[in-house]
Amino acid sequence: GYTQQFLAEKLKTKAQVISRYETQSSMPTLDRLVGIARILDVTLDELVVIKRMHSDYSEFMKEKYK
């Protein structure tokens, strides 16, 4: 699976920033969302729907990228 550190490196940020996105204590910019979608190989629409459908997004990501 993808770790926060992996995503952070790809997005040129810190793992703590990714953690804040996962816990919804911070929201990514549109550009950052596009970057996340590209890394995860999903569309931006899919990324937003996934986030809304799964209250525990980090658990969803663990299952998706085992």
Side-chain angles (χ1 to χ4, degrees), residues 17-61:
V17 172
I18 304 303
S19 176
R20 288 186 210 126
Y21 296 161
E22 289 181 349
T23 62
Q24 298 181 352
S25 61
S26 178
M27 296 301 294
T29 64
L30 181 57
D31 288 341
R32 186 65 54 85
L33 284 171
V34 169
I36 293 168
R38 285 184 180 152
I39 292 166
L40 299 179
D41 194 29
V42 297
T43 67
L44 191 53
D45 288 342
E46 289 171 322
L47 184 65
V48 172
V49 169
I50 289 167
K51 181 68 175 153
R52 286 186 182 160
M53 288 176 52
H54 297 275
S55 58
D56 191 344
Y57 182 66
S58 59
E59 283 301 313
F60 169 80
M61 293 309 294

